[in-house]
Amino acid sequence: IFAGALFTPIMLVGSMRLLTPLTSALFGVLGRMAPRAIVRSLSRTSIAVAALTIAVSVIIGVSVMIGSFRNTVANWLDNTLVADIYISPPNLTANQTAVDVDPVIRALVSEVEGVARVSSSRSVQVAAPDYPDLPPVNLSAVDFDLAGNARDFVWIDNDNSADALAGGRLMVSEPFAFRRGITRDNNTLTILTPIGEQTFEIFGVFYDYSTDQGSVLMSRDLYDQYWDDPNVTAVAAFVEPDADLDAIIETLEDDVLAAFDVDIQSNRALRTNVFEIFERTFTITIALRVLATLVAFIGILSALM
């Protein structure tokens, strides 16, 4: 951007020469004087135009970046939030500790009319002895991969992720793989379990933006082999194609799960919440873009006047 700005004086001289015949035909003597005045005051006008050029280029760059990032998040949500209903612990404040969902909720939800299938997940942090300088591993054990074959992978050694998870292998997110140098050739991970260190094979790396430290996904059956932990962190439900989603959520809130302190959200509501947070995160850039534009235009206006 800076190097491009240095070409402003010569580009300004060239453009004024090209514009002079047109401005002369339209405005007469004044049309000939204006471009010449800009060239004669090049030490001031070129700096003003360069400032405007940099401001506009930065504004465009930031806008493209934010728009691209938003589209990427939208695509990721389409492939990740595939269940119709999500049940999780209530939103926590800074003074509260993490809580789990009562395991009985899974069975209760599966019995609700209109619910086709239910999956539970258990999220814990475990140690990875091979990476003592890195934070603990964010491990999620799931009944089955909700995204299934719709999930986007950086690379995968099995066409069916569900079969690979059921076979006792793991998949990890892109940030996790990047921080630990996991590749197709270096595709193992050692985790400290209650019965000692265990090494697992990784069959794929998937895109994920939920945590910058990354995460590891394994099947619940594999998790239960090494951990004596019946707890559940969240529950996801798929409804039948002809079922009334709003009616099912109302039944869960007012009847089936009324006695439990949990948050019940639809896929649509969860996506809305994610993008509300996204928009708030980048709200400041709107003010910065407007401010940069005003400063640049005021600068060039004062110089050309």
Side-chain angles (χ1 to χ4, degrees), residues 236-298:
F238 294 82
V239 303
E240 297 175 354
D242 57 346
D244 187 338
L245 178 60
D246 294 332
I248 294 176
I249 293 178
E250 184 176 352
T251 299
L252 292 173
E253 292 176 336
D254 300 337
D255 184 15
V256 178
L257 303 182
F260 298 92
D261 185 17
V262 293
D263 283 341
I264 304 173
Q265 299 185 80
S266 66
N267 181 309
R268 181 175 60 254
L270 196 56
R271 284 175 57 90
T272 300
N273 290 339
V274 170
F275 280 112
E276 285 179 354
I277 296 173
F278 183 94
E279 300 297 347
R280 287 201 301 268
T281 302
F282 290 98
T283 297
I284 186 62
T285 62
I286 298 175
L288 292 175
R289 282 178 282 173
V290 172
L291 192 61
T293 305
L294 289 176
V295 170
F297 272 104
I298 290 173

Side-chain angles (χ1 to χ4, degrees), residues 12-305:
L12 199 58
V13 171
S15 62
M16 289 303 102
R17 288 179 178 176
L18 293 176
L19 283 175
T20 298
L22 177 60
T23 56
S24 177
L26 293 175
F27 305 106
V29 175
L30 189 62
R32 292 193 298 272
M33 292 175 59
R36 293 174 184 174
I38 292 175
V39 173
R40 283 199 300 269
S41 304
L42 200 61
S43 60
R44 296 191 302 272
T45 56
S46 62
I47 294 175
V49 173
L52 177 64
T53 303
I54 291 175
V56 172
S57 64
V58 170
I59 290 167
I60 293 174
V62 171
S63 300
V64 171
M65 180 198 71
I66 295 174
S68 176
F69 186 28
R70 195 182 194 284
N71 289 337
T72 301
V73 172
N75 293 336
W76 169 64
L77 290 176
D78 287 339
N79 296 333
T80 305
L81 298 180
V82 295
D84 298 299
I85 302 173
Y86 292 90
I87 303 168
S88 59
N91 293 328
L92 302 179
T93 64
N95 297 325
Q96 289 178 299
T97 56
V99 295
D100 297 318
V101 170
D102 193 322
V104 74
I105 288 179
R106 187 188 190 285
L108 293 175
V109 173
S110 64
E111 294 174 357
V112 175
E113 183 178 358
V115 174
R117 56 178 179 154
V118 178
S119 175
S120 64
S121 64
R122 175 61 174 155
S123 298
V124 295
Q125 288 191 332
V126 297
D130 294 340
Y131 306 96
D133 297 332
L134 293 176
V137 175
N138 297 313
L139 176 65
S140 293
V142 296
D143 294 340
F144 57 86
D145 183 15
L146 298 181
N149 293 329
R151 189 185 294 276
D152 288 331
F153 285 88
V154 181
W155 59 263
I156 183 173
D157 287 335
N158 191 308
D159 294 335
N160 193 321
S161 61
D163 291 344
L165 278 180
R169 296 196 287 171
L170 312 180
M171 60 179 173
V172 302
S173 65
E174 182 185 21
F176 187 91
F178 173 77
R179 291 176 181 275
R180 290 163 176 80
I182 294 174
T183 62
R184 288 180 182 269
D185 298 324
N186 179 33
N187 64 339
T188 59
L189 176 66
T190 300
I191 296 176
L192 183 61
T193 72
I195 61 175
E197 295 182 4
Q198 300 293 329
T199 300
F200 302 95
E201 181 183 355
I202 298 169
F203 72 88
V205 176
F206 62 93
Y207 290 104
D208 182 71
Y209 308 101
S210 59
T211 168
D212 63 341
Q213 294 298 328
S215 58
V216 176
L217 205 63
M218 72 165 47
S219 69
R220 183 65 194 234
D221 291 338
L222 181 62
Y223 180 81
D224 290 338
Q225 293 179 23
Y226 300 99
W227 281 269
D228 182 17
D229 179 15
N231 296 318
V232 172
T233 303
V235 174
F238 294 82
V239 303
E240 297 175 354
D242 57 346
D244 187 338
L245 178 60
D246 294 332
I248 294 176
I249 293 178
E250 184 176 352
T251 299
L252 292 173
E253 292 176 336
D254 300 337
D255 184 15
V256 178
L257 303 182
F260 298 92
D261 185 17
V262 293
D263 283 341
I264 304 173
Q265 299 185 80
S266 66
N267 181 309
R268 181 175 60 254
L270 196 56
R271 284 175 57 90
T272 300
N273 290 339
V274 170
F275 280 112
E276 285 179 354
I277 296 173
F278 183 94
E279 300 297 347
R280 287 201 301 268
T281 302
F282 290 98
T283 297
I284 186 62
T285 62
I286 298 175
L288 292 175
R289 282 178 282 173
V290 172
L291 192 61
T293 305
L294 289 176
V295 170
F297 272 104
I298 290 173
I300 194 170
L301 181 63
S302 62
L304 295 183
M305 288 292 287

